[in-house]
């Protein structure tokens, strides 16, 4: 039994080290699907970006890094600001875009 618990703990620790790194940005000024599409297009074109998810209702943009890549919060902020929006908050999370989308669905 103890070996099973230890094995499970090691597996979970290993799994968490492979968790995707994403940045969530809270953005003021996004009011329509066109706004979301523009931001998504700009962020998607960045070299380290694997996936982008925009939630207009919560005014958030989530960006997932490609495996082995690091997202640059300053560059993301610059892209969003250059598009005409204000970044209010930026946070790094150890979640994939799919996990972030699932959280949003649960909250609805």
């Amino acid at each position: 039994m103890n070996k099973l618990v230890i094995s499970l703990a090691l597996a979970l620790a290993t799994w968490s080290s492979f968790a995707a790194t994403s940045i969530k940005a809270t953005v003021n000024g996004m009011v329509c699907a066109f706004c979301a599409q523009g931001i998504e297009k700009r962020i998607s074109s960045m070299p380290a970006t694997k996936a982008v998810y925009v939630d207009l209702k919560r005014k958030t943009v989530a960006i997932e890094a490609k495996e082995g890549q690091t997202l640059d919060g300053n560059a993301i902020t610059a892209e969003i600001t250059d598009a005409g929006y204000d970044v209010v908050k930026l946070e790094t999370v150890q979640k994939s875009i799919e996990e972030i989308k699932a959280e949003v669905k649960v909250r609805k």
Side-chain angles (χ1 to χ4, degrees), residues 65-82:
K66 290 179 182 173
E67 190 171 328
Q69 298 280 321
T70 303
L71 295 169
D72 181 352
N74 291 330
I76 290 168
T77 299
E79 282 294 325
I80 294 171
T81 303
D82 287 347

Side-chain angles (χ1 to χ4, degrees), residues 20-23 38-54 61-73 75-77 79-80 97:
T21 301
S22 299
I23 289 182
I39 289 174
E40 184 174 353
K41 185 175 180 180
R42 288 182 78 126
I43 300 298
S44 292
S45 69
M46 297 177 76
T49 301
K50 176 181 178 180
V52 179
Y53 171 66
V54 180
V61 178
I63 306 101
E64 182 178 340
K66 290 179 182 173
E67 190 171 328
Q69 298 280 321
T70 303
L71 295 169
D72 181 352
I76 290 168
T77 299
E79 282 294 325
I80 294 171
I97 292 296

Side-chain angles (χ1 to χ4, degrees), residues 1-9:
M1 181 69 167
N2 286 339
K3 287 183 181 180
L4 177 63
V5 171
I6 291 171
S7 295
L8 185 58

Side-chain angles (χ1 to χ4, degrees), residues 2 11 23 25 27 30 42 54 57 64 66 68 70 77-78 80 89-90 95 100 104-106:
N2 286 339
I23 289 182
V27 180
M30 289 192 311
R42 288 182 78 126
V54 180
K57 185 175 181 181
E64 182 178 340
K66 290 179 182 173
T70 303
T77 299
I80 294 171
K89 180 180 174 184
L90 211 61
K95 297 178 184 177
I100 293 168
V104 170
K105 285 183 181 179
V106 169

